[in-house]
């Protein structure tokens, strides 16, 4: 066909005789008709010879391709939760650049001593205004942006946070007006940016490489820089919290590793401290150096003593194995399985998706919610409704913290608050069939950050899919003289998933919507371990996983926000504690006997400080959010229960070292009165700001406001300590590492709302007196299902004859 097309172009673009061109046209038409007939015949033959299963698979694949389109391309409506669009971003940048006092540079060419816009995102309108708009046809809330500007060129360098609006016709840009956080942030606690990393590559690393490459080559058989050939070193860095520095200082430890798959598992014992306090990178200085378990005051001191042979030296041969043979790579190796070339089981949507997405709103069964991707804190879900009633106004992750322990300086100072890396930019590249089912809807996102050179689209940054959890949501088999029955429903739910990749770790985060009115949030860690160079002094801080490598003990912490609205915003929080009572056994023939049992003690929490939750095994509790003005006919308050699975205790002393940056980690759960100004529990500055946190979560509680019949927000901490093991090489598995919390109805409905699900099945004997002689199967007019396995009894026949095994 390509030949005919090219020939056709040649004939009609050249001056050939008209009669010749006419004959050619007739020939081409005849050939085209013949090709069309042949194609139709081939298609008919394929359909006739294909099995129903093959047709179903092709149908599913065809749907899958349609479903992977990007709704943002067709987005027309801008709602109250819609993230800042590309055209709005252009207007914001244009408006700010007109202001000569800002002296803004383009982030792709800026230096640390320049002024540039770091992030732009939606500034949420006040909740009360949004609810009036959503629920009562109130006026559309004013739309504005939250803009972070790094002002390295100012006389006193500073980071400033602005509100810019109204959009789309901008008339103002002023400092954010709030007392709940700093809006003029000391320049030394700014998060990393690509602007700073460019200066590290041009002003620091070449200096170190020029002086020390001979030592690196002799010690490790590799070097750093452009001319390292096939034996190269890669650097990483450990920011030092301001808690360990003099006021105004900014420093970080840098360390080298082999640039192999994956470099965090190839650390070397060469670390150096850089003072990056000065806004001019040319004035940055290399200070202390760690080599061969010894701390030197300067790089020059180390190099002088190295040349003089007056110190111990490290000798590590460069890994000789091919990349695919490295135990740190993800190449297939070992005794491969399965032995037969048989595909793994997988799910599919036999009739296409059972959910819809319009703009950013998702409708699934009896659920509706809106999603938004913030460049700083990542995925946020808003206006979450079940059966038309709002359950939560917002559900989102706020922070991920990872706290390491070690002997060497770079590893022992490793305290990460990962939002500094901008979660929205760390969610991308989900692989169909692995990260999400291949039939999932994959959503691109568009956000502005300086780290990505401005406004940028990230493909397949999140996915949405319905899944069969392969676990009954509910079921019962009963058999007795008066009759028999079986009733059951699979836990089929909708999942919204993102994977946040921060350097070595990948955090798989799911928001799961169950058909019984419960919404679950689940997070699991995978990816590569961070590690250090092994010495005997490191033994008490981790596990030796290779000859020269130790993987260090660390603490994972995740913080979430759940703005819970039960039957409105006038809510209260109570704990139902399981107590023990010891009383006289009045039912016994021996009244002097004692009877010990459990009972419930209900405790209404009146203030924020009284509501903080620190788990105590001696006093197990239910955490209940309710509306006192909404009760059922039995007197039960309409409520939702918060259930937390996956907690750990913060071991750092209060107000010591890095701990103030993560003061939220003091509690497994806290409750505050909703304030628009207290919209996040952390900030992108938390990596550095422990001396004086930009967002101090503890202050949200210290005003100890009344929380009875108020609009309440719950803040949940999930966490686990991770002691690495050799089986976590090369990647940490998600198995056994899931942490979660759930909001589930608690006396909210008269009965389980999943009783309305037509996915249920009921089986009962055709004759109650002869239960083994066949069964009636009730599928509630749902399709019987398609068997993907040949040469077996059909599903419908098996169900009809199920009395043989159900009621025997």
């Amino acid at each position: 066909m390509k030949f005919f097309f090219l020939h056709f172009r040649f004939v009609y673009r050249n001056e050939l005789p008209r009669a010749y061109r006419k004959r050619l046209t007739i020939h081409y038409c005849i050939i085209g008709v013949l090709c069309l007939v042949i194609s139709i015949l081939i298609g008919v033959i394929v359909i006739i010879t294909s099995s129903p299963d093959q047709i179903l698979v092709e149908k599913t694949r065809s749907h899958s391709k349609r479903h992977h389109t990007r709704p943002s391309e067709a987005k027309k409506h801008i709602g109250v939760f819609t993230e800042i669009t590309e055209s709005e971003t252009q207007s914001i940048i244009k408006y700010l650049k007109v202001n000569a006092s800002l002296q803004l540079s383009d982030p792709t060419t800026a230096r640390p001593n320049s002024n540039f816009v770091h992030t732009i995102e939606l500034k949420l309108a006040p909740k009360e205004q949004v609810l009036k708009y959503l629920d009562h046809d109130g006026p559309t809330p004013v739309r504005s942006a939250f803009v972070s500007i790094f002002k390295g060129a100012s006389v006193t360098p500073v980071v400033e946070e602005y509100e810019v609006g109204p959009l789309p016709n901008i008339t103002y840009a002023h400092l954010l007006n709030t007392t709940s956080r700093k809006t003029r942030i000391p320049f030394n606690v700014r998060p990393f940016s690509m602007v700073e990393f460019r200066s590290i590559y041009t002003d620091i690393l070449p200096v170190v490489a020029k002086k020390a490459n001979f030592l690196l080559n002799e010690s490790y058989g590799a070097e750093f820089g452009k001319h390292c050939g096939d034996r190269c070193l890669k650097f990483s860095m450990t920011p030092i919290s301001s808690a360990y520095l003099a006021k105004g200082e900014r420093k970080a430890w840098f360390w080298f590793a082999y640039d192999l798959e994956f470099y965090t598992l190839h650390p070397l014992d060469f670390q150096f401290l850089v003072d990056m306090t000065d806004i001019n990178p040319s004035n940055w200085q290399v200070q202390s150096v760690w080599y061969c378990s010894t701390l030197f005051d300067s790089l020059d001191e180390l190099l002088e003593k190295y040349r003089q042979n007056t110190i111990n030296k490290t000798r590590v041969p460069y890994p000789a194995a091919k990349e695919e043979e490295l135990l740190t790579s993800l190449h297939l190796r070992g005794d491969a399985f399965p032995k037969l070339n048989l595909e793994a089981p997988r799910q599919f949507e036999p009739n296409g998706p059972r959910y819809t997405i319009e703009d950013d709103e998702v409708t699934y069964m009896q659920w509706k919610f809106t999603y938004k991707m913030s460049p700083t804190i990542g995925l946020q879900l808003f206006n979450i409704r079940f059966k038309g009633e709002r359950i939560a106004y917002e559900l989102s992750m706020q922070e991920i913290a990872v706290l390491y322990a070690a002997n060497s300086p770079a590893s022992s100072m490793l305290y990460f608050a990962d939002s500094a890396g901008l979660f929205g930019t760390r969610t991308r590249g989900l692989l169909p069939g692995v990260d999400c089912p291949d039939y999932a809807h994959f959503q691109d996102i568009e956000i502005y950050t300086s780290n990505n050179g401005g406004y940028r689209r990230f493909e397949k940054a999140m996915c949405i899919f319905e899944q069969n959890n392969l676990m009954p949501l509910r079921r019962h088999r009963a058999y007795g003289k008066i009759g028999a029955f079986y009733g059951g429903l699979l836990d089929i739910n909708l999942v919204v998933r993102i994977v946040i990749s921060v350097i070595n770790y990948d955090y798989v985060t799911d928001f799961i919507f169950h058909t019984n009115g419960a919404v679950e949030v689940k997070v699991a860690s995978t990816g590569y371990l961070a590690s250090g160079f092994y010495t005997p002094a490191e033994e008490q801080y981790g596990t030796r996983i290779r000859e020269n490598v130790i993987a260090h003990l660390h603490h994972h912490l995740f913080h979430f926000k759940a703005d819970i609205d039960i039957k409105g915003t006038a809510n209260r929080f109570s704990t139902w504690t399981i107590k023990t009572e010891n009383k006289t056994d009045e039912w016994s023939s021996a009244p002097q006997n004692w009877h010990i049992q459990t009972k419930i003690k209900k405790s209404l929490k009146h203030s924020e400080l009284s509501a903080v939750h620190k788990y105590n095994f001696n006093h197990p509790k239910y955490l209940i959010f309710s509306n006192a003005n909404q009760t059922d006919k039995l007197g039960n308050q309409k409520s939702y229960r918060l259930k937390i699975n996956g907690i750990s205790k913060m071991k750092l002393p209060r107000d010591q070292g890095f701990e103030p940056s993560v003061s939220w980690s003091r509690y497994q759960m806290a409750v505050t009165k909703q304030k628009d100004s207290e919209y996040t529990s952390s900030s992108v500055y938390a990596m550095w700001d422990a001396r004086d946190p930009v967002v101090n979560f503890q202050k949200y509680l210290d005003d100890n406001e009344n929380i009875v019949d108020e609009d309440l927000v719950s803040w949940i901490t999930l966490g686990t300590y991770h002691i690495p093991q050799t089986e976590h090489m090369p990647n940490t598995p998600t198995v056994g590492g899931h942490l979660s919390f759930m909001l589930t109805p608690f006396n909210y409905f008269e009965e389980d709302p999943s009783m309305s699900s037509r996915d249920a099945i009921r089986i009962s004997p055709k004759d109650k007196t002869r239960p083994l002689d066949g069964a009636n199967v009730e599928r509630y007019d749902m399709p019987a299902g398609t068997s993907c396995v040949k040469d077996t009894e059909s599903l419908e026949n098996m169900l009809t004859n199920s009395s043989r095994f159900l009621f025997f």
Side-chain angles (χ1 to χ4, degrees):
M1 291 299 295
K2 184 176 181 182
F3 166 78
F4 289 128
F5 176 69
L6 293 174
H7 187 57
F8 183 84
R9 285 203 312 174
F10 172 79
V11 169
Y12 281 85
R13 285 185 177 181
N14 291 274
E15 296 296 327
L16 295 179
R18 180 177 299 177
Y20 183 64
R21 283 186 289 171
K22 184 176 181 181
R23 287 197 300 272
L24 281 176
T25 301
I26 295 172
H27 291 160
Y28 284 134
C29 290
I30 294 172
I31 292 171
V33 171
L34 288 174
C35 290
L36 178 62
V37 171
I38 292 170
S39 299
I40 294 173
L41 288 173
I42 292 173
V44 171
I45 292 170
V46 169
I47 293 173
I48 293 174
T49 57
S50 296
S51 69
D53 296 332
Q54 289 173 315
I55 296 173
L56 176 63
V57 169
E58 292 304 317
K59 178 181 177 182
T60 304
R61 288 175 179 168
S62 175
H63 158 71
S64 178
K65 291 176 182 177
R66 294 198 310 272
H67 200 40
H68 289 186
T69 57
R70 301 181 297 208
S72 57
E73 294 174 346
K75 187 184 297 182
K76 297 178 181 179
H77 176 69
I78 296 179
V80 289
F81 302 116
T82 305
E83 191 49 85
I84 298 299
T85 66
E86 183 173 14
S87 61
E88 289 174 329
T89 299
Q90 292 171 352
S91 298
I92 292 167
I93 296 295
K94 182 178 179 180
Y95 183 85
L96 294 174
K97 282 189 173 180
V98 170
N99 187 339
S101 65
L102 291 178
Q103 298 178 325
L104 292 180
S105 299
D106 189 289
T108 59
T109 57
R111 298 272 286 171
N113 53 0
S114 305
N115 294 352
F116 61 91
V117 175
H118 184 52
T119 60
I120 299 175
E121 62 183 299
L122 177 69
K123 182 184 182 298
L124 290 170
K127 180 180 177 181
E128 185 177 357
Q129 293 180 17
V130 174
L131 293 184
K132 285 181 180 179
Y133 168 76
L134 294 174
D135 299 342
H136 306 292
D137 295 325
T140 303
V142 172
R143 185 169 168 82
S144 62
F146 176 93
V147 180
S148 171
I149 301 180
F150 286 15
K151 302 181 74 173
S154 297
V155 175
T156 301
V158 69
V159 177
E160 292 183 337
E161 296 181 338
Y162 287 82
E163 180 181 348
V164 180
L167 297 171
N169 301 312
I170 303 171
T171 60
Y172 64 83
H174 53 65
L175 277 177
L176 201 64
N177 183 22
T178 177
T179 58
S180 296
R181 63 184 283 144
K182 294 178 176 60
T183 57
R184 299 190 82 251
I185 296 102
F187 203 60
N188 64 298
V189 301
R190 68 192 183 278
F192 282 125
S193 66
M194 287 306 299
V195 171
E196 189 167 33
F197 271 99
R198 284 199 298 268
S199 295
I200 290 170
Y201 274 105
T202 58
D203 293 89
I204 290 296
L205 296 176
V207 174
V208 174
K210 183 177 181 180
K211 287 186 175 183
N213 260 345
F214 81 93
L215 179 152
L216 299 173
N217 231 323
E218 290 181 5
S219 297
Y220 313 116
E223 60 184 49
F224 184 87
K226 298 179 180 178
H227 307 295
C228 58
D230 58 357
R231 294 189 172 190
C232 297
L233 298 178
K234 185 179 179 70
F235 88 94
S236 191
M237 61 190 303
T238 298
I240 302 178
S241 171
S242 60
Y244 305 103
L245 301 173
K247 185 176 181 179
E249 286 187 331
R250 181 178 177 87
K251 296 183 180 182
W253 279 98
F254 290 73
W255 50 274
F256 282 130
Y258 290 128
D259 194 3
L260 296 168
E261 187 178 321
F262 184 68
Y263 77 95
T264 62
L265 292 179
H266 293 276
L268 302 170
D269 64 339
F270 186 92
Q271 306 172 3
F272 53 97
L273 179 66
V274 178
D275 186 340
M276 303 186 299
T277 305
D278 198 292
I279 61 169
N280 188 344
S282 62
N283 294 328
W284 291 352
Q285 296 180 347
V286 177
Q287 296 184 329
S288 303
V289 180
W290 174 268
Y291 172 76
C292 198
S293 297
T294 305
L295 187 65
F296 299 89
D297 290 336
S298 67
L299 180 59
D300 290 335
E301 179 194 2
L302 164 63
L303 297 177
E304 181 181 357
K305 292 182 177 179
Y306 183 91
R307 290 189 178 96
Q308 294 173 352
N309 291 316
T310 58
I311 59 172
N312 292 328
K313 297 182 179 180
T314 301
R315 291 292 182 267
V316 178
Y318 188 86
K322 297 179 180 178
E323 181 181 83
E324 58 269 22
E325 297 172 352
L326 289 173
L327 294 180
T328 59
S329 79
L330 293 184
H331 289 278
L332 180 68
R333 53 184 174 273
D335 189 8
F337 61 88
K339 296 299 183 184
L340 300 178
N341 295 333
L342 302 177
E343 287 190 82
R346 60 184 177 187
Q347 297 191 12
F348 65 99
E349 295 174 334
N351 307 114
R354 303 197 298 177
Y355 58 90
T356 60
I357 304 174
E358 184 175 355
D359 296 320
D360 296 331
E361 185 176 70
V362 179
T363 301
Y364 171 68
M365 303 299 178
Q366 299 183 86
W367 288 102
K368 273 193 176 184
F369 59 89
T370 301
Y371 64 83
K372 181 179 89 72
M373 188 71 79
S374 158
T376 54
I377 65 174
L379 181 63
Q380 299 169 281
L381 302 186
F382 289 99
N383 199 23
I384 300 169
R385 290 148 289 162
F386 184 74
K387 299 186 74 170
E389 295 187 348
R390 186 174 299 106
I391 304 302
Y393 179 74
E394 179 184 354
L395 201 54
S396 60
M397 180 184 286
Q398 299 290 295
E399 186 62 272
I400 301 174
V402 192
L403 285 58
Y404 285 84
N407 178 62
S408 71
S411 297
S412 66
M413 300 299 294
L414 200 56
Y415 295 120
F416 280 156
D418 284 336
S419 66
L422 307 181
F423 288 149
T425 68
R426 302 288 179 166
T427 57
R428 62 175 88 171
L430 298 178
L431 181 66
V434 180
D435 295 321
C436 310
D438 52 11
Y439 61 82
H441 166 83
F442 290 85
Q443 177 64 53
D444 298 352
I445 63 167
E446 296 171 319
I447 50 181
Y448 177 99
T449 72
S450 70
N451 289 351
N452 299 108
Y455 198 82
R456 182 174 168 184
R457 175 188 290 272
F458 296 113
E459 294 187 24
K460 291 182 171 59
M462 60 178 283
C463 67
I464 302 173
F465 58 92
E466 188 182 16
Q467 69 172 359
N468 175 345
N469 204 32
L470 301 179
M471 172 66 72
L473 177 68
R474 51 176 173 80
R475 60 94 69 189
H476 187 66
R477 167 204 173 274
Y479 175 70
K481 292 183 178 180
I482 61 171
F485 72 90
Y486 172 90
L489 174 67
L490 273 169
D491 181 16
I492 301 171
N493 50 61
L494 187 77
V495 179
V496 181
R497 174 173 292 170
I498 59 171
V499 180
I500 300 174
S501 297
V502 185
I503 307 177
N504 55 306
Y505 261 115
D506 298 62
Y507 301 105
V508 183
T509 307
D510 288 349
F511 296 83
I512 307 170
F513 296 86
H514 298 267
T515 54
N516 68 337
V519 55
E520 181 181 7
V521 179
K522 183 184 296 184
V523 61
S525 305
T526 181
Y528 279 92
L529 296 166
S531 62
F533 194 83
Y534 172 79
T535 65
E538 299 282 1
E539 283 279 1
Q540 61 184 322
Y541 300 108
T543 302
R544 192 175 185 179
I545 56 173
R546 286 175 48 238
E547 179 68 24
N548 297 311
V549 180
I550 185 167
H552 293 114
L553 161 71
H554 53 282
H555 191 189
H556 289 285
L557 290 160
F558 306 86
H559 205 226
F560 290 88
K561 177 183 181 181
D563 185 340
I564 302 170
D565 291 346
I566 305 303
K567 296 285 187 178
T569 57
N571 292 168
R572 50 180 56 188
F573 171 66
S574 303
T575 58
W576 291 23
T577 305
I578 312 301
K579 293 284 189 178
T580 302
E581 71 171 359
N582 193 346
K583 66 176 185 177
T584 302
D585 187 358
E586 56 187 303
W587 317 116
S588 171
S589 58
Q592 69 275 14
N593 290 345
W594 291 90
H595 176 62
I596 301 173
Q597 63 181 1
T598 55
K599 67 176 182 179
I600 302 170
K601 180 182 179 181
K602 302 177 183 179
S603 176
L604 175 64
K605 304 302 179 182
H606 290 85
S607 65
E608 292 173 328
L609 287 176
S610 70
V612 296
H613 175 59
K614 296 184 179 181
Y615 189 80
N616 185 336
F617 277 99
N618 293 321
H619 302 285
K621 291 179 173 65
Y622 270 36
L623 310 176
I624 307 296
F625 292 83
S626 58
N627 190 314
N629 298 318
Q630 297 283 337
T631 59
D632 63 17
K633 59 186 177 183
L634 303 175
N636 297 308
Q637 293 181 1
K638 302 280 187 174
S639 306
Y640 256 68
R641 177 193 174 195
L642 173 61
K643 185 179 181 182
I644 306 175
N645 299 305
I647 58 177
S648 60
K649 181 178 175 62
M650 166 55 79
K651 300 290 289 183
L652 297 182
R654 180 167 174 152
D655 292 325
Q656 297 296 311
F658 181 74
E659 194 271 349
S661 287
V662 291
S663 59
W664 46 263
S665 65
R666 298 167 187 171
Y667 317 104
Q668 280 72 61
M669 196 275 296
V671 178
T672 61
K673 180 180 176 180
Q674 191 277 337
K675 292 181 180 177
D676 295 316
S677 58
E678 295 178 351
Y679 58 89
T680 180
S681 62
S682 187
S683 77
V684 297
Y685 314 99
M687 188 96 80
W688 303 84
D689 71 359
R691 177 181 287 271
D692 186 13
V694 172
V695 173
N696 187 340
F697 179 76
Q698 184 61 45
K699 288 185 177 180
Y700 291 8
L701 304 172
D702 286 344
D703 57 10
N704 204 25
E705 292 187 280
N706 170 63
I707 58 170
V708 178
D709 299 333
E710 298 284 356
D711 190 356
L712 303 183
V713 178
S714 174
W715 307 87
I716 302 108
T717 303
L718 303 179
T720 182
Y721 277 95
H722 185 182
I723 300 178
Q725 58 198 68
T726 54
E727 291 86 359
H728 294 170
M729 285 273 291
N731 265 190
T732 300
T734 60
V735 176
H738 290 89
L739 310 172
S740 68
F741 70 90
M742 178 179 289
L743 290 169
T744 184
F746 192 82
N747 300 324
Y748 192 94
F749 300 103
E750 189 174 80
E751 65 172 357
D752 181 354
S754 76
M755 292 305 300
S756 302
S757 174
R758 293 173 58 224
D759 288 328
I761 187 169
R762 180 183 171 88
I763 302 172
S764 57
K766 291 181 178 179
D767 184 344
K768 288 185 177 182
T769 63
R770 304 174 64 184
L772 303 183
D773 290 355
N776 294 314
V777 179
E778 180 58 72
R779 299 296 299 267
Y780 307 104
D781 297 325
M782 291 292 281
T786 302
S787 174
C788 294
V789 183
K790 298 180 181 179
D791 303 324
T792 61
E793 186 178 13
S794 74
L795 175 63
E796 196 61 25
N797 286 337
M798 183 180 69
L799 290 175
T800 303
N801 298 315
S802 59
S803 61
R804 290 177 298 177
F805 59 86
L806 274 179
F807 306 130
F808 180 71

